[in-house]
Amino acid sequence: MEGKKTRVVIAGGGTAGWMAAAALSKLMGKTIDLVLVESDQIGTVGVGEATIPTLHIFHRLLGLKEPEVMAATNATFKLGIQFENWRERGQDYLHSFGFLGKDCWACGFQHFWVKGQQKGMVSEIGDYCTEHLAGRAGRFAVLPNQDLNHAYHMDATLYAKFLRRFAEGYGARRVEGKIVEVAQNGENGHIEALVLDNGERLEGDLFIDCTGFRALLIEQTLNTGYDDWSHWLPCDRAIAVQTTSVGTPPPYTRSIAHASGWQWRIPLQNRTGNGIVYCSKYWSDDEAKQVLTDNLEGEMLTEPRVIRFRTGTRRQHWNKNCVAIGLSSGFLEPLESTSIHLIQRSIIRLLQLFPNGGLVAADINEFNAQTLEEMENIRDFIVLHYKVTERTDSRFWNHCRTMDVPESLAHRIEMFSEAAKVYKHGNELFGESSWIQVMMGQGILPKSYHPIVDMMSDPELEAFLGNIRATVKRKVEAHPPHMDFIRHYCPSKTEA
């Protein structure tokens, strides 16, 4: 039924604000009146430069073309994350986005590989995955009818600017100003308006909190509450800095573990994003900064800046007439590049449950239940990297190795350790290949495998494994070098 337009007010810009504005204006622009308020005087975190393949879904919804987005955001391709020194110092492995080998109806490829490993028939498990081998070889191509198992390294600030232009083209209105008051209804506590420093009053029906860690609406105003997960994820600070490019950008993110945290290295077309995530219980800001600067490649383009955070989740992500999206909704450290994914999922979930003429408690409850379930699943996957380690060289790693973990994670670890079994429930983000690669990479080698594998004779198993490896090798050898493809496909239109 046609009615008056729903007034949507987005508080805050950045990646979260402009992703929300772009999707809502494009997909619901005729039924809503959308305004976004942000201040040029308030900076954004702006370091979320690595993504995962689910971003293709968001871009497809908006009708965006991959080469245009990449050229506008100085982007390179990403086929996975290389974890260095996580299992033990001097050891590394790649968590790639592709699928491992071939499954059968009863069990996954890892069961065939485990028996092959026991028989001395196999090389490392990544040799049976195109994306894994291509990442290590530094090769890449986008081919017709190809599975889009790739993501991007991009400039988050440029991405927000790109989406702002897009959103404004579909009627989103940007207002410059600082929010000095959040006006609430005296009876039900709903937010009625945002009052700006120039006296302007932005009234709305639905408010989206994209104010980052400040959580101005969802927490400072509505006192929603926060569940702290730092007992499982003890890192609570990060330092970010940009450097000049050195060498050819690999098609993967590097995550380099140190004594009390880890360092990221994200290669863009004309610079590199760097940072260190650490636990202030074991390192001071100065110590962490020293470790970061001692391990940089290239010259610093920006001054290192400290970002403080607390891992966990808002108790409600939709409270009354306010939806928290992005850092205001909670924080999981960027180890598996899930921040932009969580923004995207909240936006799509809001679109699916969008209030039509009034708020419905069942819709709000469903939004909150789905969001919490997704965050808990991602939390478990990130905790896995810390828990399953052989490092004993620092108090930080001794704490992580011996800490209690959520029962849901302990169950997964036991299933895989005993018999190579993994599972994916419903809409979980990380699939079986991801869990297998990280658990094996961190040092878990299953004790046994599914008995159906024994239906193959040893010669048949060896031929099966050998054919997959040979096919993967042929595919990768046909790909051009990563940067050669970028220069042809999506050369940067930005300045360094």
Side-chain angles (χ1 to χ4, degrees), residues 255-275:
S255 171
I256 307 159
H258 294 295
S260 297
W262 60 276
Q263 173 188 352
W264 75 77
R265 192 172 290 159
I266 299 172
L268 307 187
Q269 287 189 41
N270 54 26
R271 67 166 176 83
T272 300
N274 308 269

Side-chain angles (χ1 to χ4, degrees), residues 13 16 21 60 89 108 147 221 247 249 259 315 329 406 457 459 464:
R60 200 155 50 233
R89 286 180 298 175
D147 289 332
T221 302
R315 288 184 181 143
S329 73
S457 67
F464 171 72

